[in-house]
Amino acid sequence: MEENREERERGELLGNRLIDGMPVFAKELIAGGVAGGFAKTVVAPLERLKILFQTRRAEFKSLGLSGSFTKIAKTEGVLGFYRGNGASIARIVPYAALHYMAYEQYRRWIILGYPGVGRGPVLDLIAGSFAGGTAVLFTYPLDLVRTKLAYQVSDSSKLNVKGLVPREQVYKGIRDCFSQTYKEAGIRGLYRGVAPSLYGIFPYAGLKFYFYEEMKRNVPEKHRKDITVKLVCGSVAGLLGQTFTYPLDVARRQMQVQRVLRSNGGDMKNTMETLVMIVRREGWQQLFSGLSINYLKVVPSVAIGFTVYDVMKSFLHVPARDETVVEVTTSRSSQPLSLHSPSLSESQQ
C-alpha cells in the first residue's frame, strides 16, 4: 500500500512538472481543443438538423423539429444524428484551440503594444474578432467537408422534390470528400463560402466577447468568478452575437453545398448575390431558417465550452490573464541590454 501511494505521488509530481514546463500558449491550445470537441459532440444532433434546415428546406422545414428527428431516426438510426460529426470534431478541435489561444495572445499583444486601448470590452471585441478570423482561415476546409457530409441523407435519391436532383454526389467519408472537392475545383473549392464565414465570424466572435465582458461588468465583484455567472453571461452573449450574424451563416452553408444541390437558378457567385437569391426564391425568413435550433444548440454549447475550458485551464495551471501580461512585461523589462538584445539591435538599425 505504501509503495503504491509513493508511486502515485511520484507520478503526480512528474505530471505536475511536465504541465508546469509547458508554455502558456500550449496549455491554452489544449484547453480550448478539449472544450470545443466535448461541447460539439454533445450538440451534434442539433447541428445536423440545423444544416438540413438551412440547405434542404423543402424536405425538412415542413416536418418541424420533432418530425425531422423522427425522420432521421427511422431512415438512418441513431448514428444518423452524428453524420459528419467526425469531420466536425476534426475541425472544431483545432478551431477551438486556435480561437481560444489566439484570443488570449491577441489580447496580450494589444495590451503590450497599445496600452491606450485599455482592458475593457473594446479590447475583447478587437481580440475576439481577429482570433475568430485566424481560426476560420486555418480550419475552413474541414468545415466545408463537415457541411457536405451532414447535407447527405440516406434516402435523398428516392425523393422527387422540386429544386433537387435525384442523383447527388455521395461522399464515402472525410478523405473521399476532401479528395473529390479538391479534384473538382482545387484549393478554391476547399474554401468555397469562406467569405461569408469571415464576414460572420469577425462580428460574431467580437460581439460574443464584447457582450460577455460587458455583462460581467454589471455583476458584483464577489460573483464574477462564479462559474454559473460566466456560463449565463457567455450563453446570452452567444445568442445575441448569433442572431446578428445568422444570415451570413445561412449564405455560407448554401455556397458550400451548391455543387451538390445544383439548383436550377445557377451558381451563387458571392455572398451578396447568395443572400439576394435566397430572399427572392424563398423569402427573407429563410435567412433565419434553423435559428431556433441554433438557439437550442448555442446555449448548451457555450455553457459546456466555457465550463470545460475553465476546468482544463485550472488542471493545466494556466495563470490568470493579467498575471500572464505582468509576467511578459516583467521578463521584457528585466532583460539586460547587450549586443544581442532586441532593444539595442533595433535601435541600431
PDB file of all heavy atoms in Angstrom, residues 255 258 267-271 273-274:
ATOM      1  N   MET A 255     -23.630  28.218 -50.115  1.00  0.00           N
ATOM      2  CA  MET A 255     -22.491  28.261 -51.025  1.00  0.00           C
ATOM      3  C   MET A 255     -21.647  26.989 -50.916  1.00  0.00           C
ATOM      4  O   MET A 255     -21.075  26.521 -51.897  1.00  0.00           O
ATOM      5  CB  MET A 255     -21.630  29.495 -50.734  1.00  0.00           C
ATOM      6  CG  MET A 255     -22.320  30.811 -51.071  1.00  0.00           C
ATOM      7  SD  MET A 255     -21.351  32.265 -50.620  1.00  0.00           S
ATOM      8  CE  MET A 255     -20.059  32.200 -51.864  1.00  0.00           C
ATOM      9  N   GLN A 258     -23.601  24.076 -52.874  1.00  0.00           N
ATOM     10  CA  GLN A 258     -24.199  24.373 -54.178  1.00  0.00           C
ATOM     11  C   GLN A 258     -23.749  23.391 -55.249  1.00  0.00           C
ATOM     12  O   GLN A 258     -24.496  23.084 -56.172  1.00  0.00           O
ATOM     13  CB  GLN A 258     -23.902  25.804 -54.616  1.00  0.00           C
ATOM     14  CG  GLN A 258     -22.450  26.097 -54.905  1.00  0.00           C
ATOM     15  CD  GLN A 258     -22.287  27.453 -55.569  1.00  0.00           C
ATOM     16  OE1 GLN A 258     -22.691  27.642 -56.695  1.00  0.00           O
ATOM     17  NE2 GLN A 258     -21.707  28.399 -54.857  1.00  0.00           N
ATOM     18  N   ASP A 267     -25.209  29.008 -60.379  1.00  0.00           N
ATOM     19  CA  ASP A 267     -24.332  29.120 -59.228  1.00  0.00           C
ATOM     20  C   ASP A 267     -24.506  30.455 -58.517  1.00  0.00           C
ATOM     21  O   ASP A 267     -24.848  31.463 -59.114  1.00  0.00           O
ATOM     22  CB  ASP A 267     -22.864  28.979 -59.661  1.00  0.00           C
ATOM     23  CG  ASP A 267     -22.511  27.546 -59.996  1.00  0.00           C
ATOM     24  OD1 ASP A 267     -23.306  26.653 -59.623  1.00  0.00           O
ATOM     25  OD2 ASP A 267     -21.468  27.327 -60.637  1.00  0.00           O
ATOM     26  N   MET A 268     -24.220  30.420 -57.201  1.00  0.00           N
ATOM     27  CA  MET A 268     -24.223  31.639 -56.416  1.00  0.00           C
ATOM     28  C   MET A 268     -22.802  32.182 -56.426  1.00  0.00           C
ATOM     29  O   MET A 268     -21.878  31.530 -55.967  1.00  0.00           O
ATOM     30  CB  MET A 268     -24.664  31.325 -54.990  1.00  0.00           C
ATOM     31  CG  MET A 268     -26.013  30.639 -54.912  1.00  0.00           C
ATOM     32  SD  MET A 268     -26.284  29.920 -53.280  1.00  0.00           S
ATOM     33  CE  MET A 268     -27.078  28.387 -53.733  1.00  0.00           C
ATOM     34  N   LYS A 269     -22.621  33.368 -56.957  1.00  0.00           N
ATOM     35  CA  LYS A 269     -21.282  33.877 -57.221  1.00  0.00           C
ATOM     36  C   LYS A 269     -20.585  34.372 -55.970  1.00  0.00           C
ATOM     37  O   LYS A 269     -19.421  34.106 -55.743  1.00  0.00           O
ATOM     38  CB  LYS A 269     -21.347  34.990 -58.261  1.00  0.00           C
ATOM     39  CG  LYS A 269     -21.987  34.565 -59.585  1.00  0.00           C
ATOM     40  CD  LYS A 269     -21.210  33.448 -60.248  1.00  0.00           C
ATOM     41  CE  LYS A 269     -21.820  33.085 -61.597  1.00  0.00           C
ATOM     42  NZ  LYS A 269     -21.106  31.983 -62.249  1.00  0.00           N
ATOM     43  N   ASN A 270     -21.288  35.149 -55.143  1.00  0.00           N
ATOM     44  CA  ASN A 270     -20.658  35.688 -53.959  1.00  0.00           C
ATOM     45  C   ASN A 270     -21.688  35.815 -52.848  1.00  0.00           C
ATOM     46  O   ASN A 270     -22.846  35.434 -52.999  1.00  0.00           O
ATOM     47  CB  ASN A 270     -20.012  37.055 -54.263  1.00  0.00           C
ATOM     48  CG  ASN A 270     -21.003  38.039 -54.861  1.00  0.00           C
ATOM     49  OD1 ASN A 270     -22.139  38.147 -54.390  1.00  0.00           O
ATOM     50  ND2 ASN A 270     -20.598  38.742 -55.907  1.00  0.00           N
ATOM     51  N   THR A 271     -21.229  36.341 -51.731  1.00  0.00           N
ATOM     52  CA  THR A 271     -22.083  36.397 -50.544  1.00  0.00           C
ATOM     53  C   THR A 271     -23.343  37.220 -50.766  1.00  0.00           C
ATOM     54  O   THR A 271     -24.461  36.777 -50.459  1.00  0.00           O
ATOM     55  CB  THR A 271     -21.288  36.991 -49.369  1.00  0.00           C
ATOM     56  OG1 THR A 271     -20.090  36.233 -49.179  1.00  0.00           O
ATOM     57  CG2 THR A 271     -22.120  36.954 -48.091  1.00  0.00           C
ATOM     58  N   GLU A 273     -24.840  38.137 -53.607  1.00  0.00           N
ATOM     59  CA  GLU A 273     -25.724  37.506 -54.583  1.00  0.00           C
ATOM     60  C   GLU A 273     -26.458  36.320 -53.977  1.00  0.00           C
ATOM     61  O   GLU A 273     -27.627  36.076 -54.294  1.00  0.00           O
ATOM     62  CB  GLU A 273     -24.919  37.062 -55.805  1.00  0.00           C
ATOM     63  CG  GLU A 273     -24.432  38.208 -56.677  1.00  0.00           C
ATOM     64  CD  GLU A 273     -23.695  37.718 -57.911  1.00  0.00           C
ATOM     65  OE1 GLU A 273     -23.703  36.488 -58.140  1.00  0.00           O
ATOM     66  OE2 GLU A 273     -23.109  38.540 -58.627  1.00  0.00           O
ATOM     67  N   THR A 274     -25.770  35.582 -53.121  1.00  0.00           N
ATOM     68  CA  THR A 274     -26.408  34.439 -52.461  1.00  0.00           C
ATOM     69  C   THR A 274     -27.530  34.899 -51.546  1.00  0.00           C
ATOM     70  O   THR A 274     -28.626  34.326 -51.542  1.00  0.00           O
ATOM     71  CB  THR A 274     -25.365  33.644 -51.649  1.00  0.00           C
ATOM     72  OG1 THR A 274     -24.337  33.186 -52.530  1.00  0.00           O
ATOM     73  CG2 THR A 274     -26.010  32.450 -50.971  1.00  0.00           C
TER      74      THR A 274
END
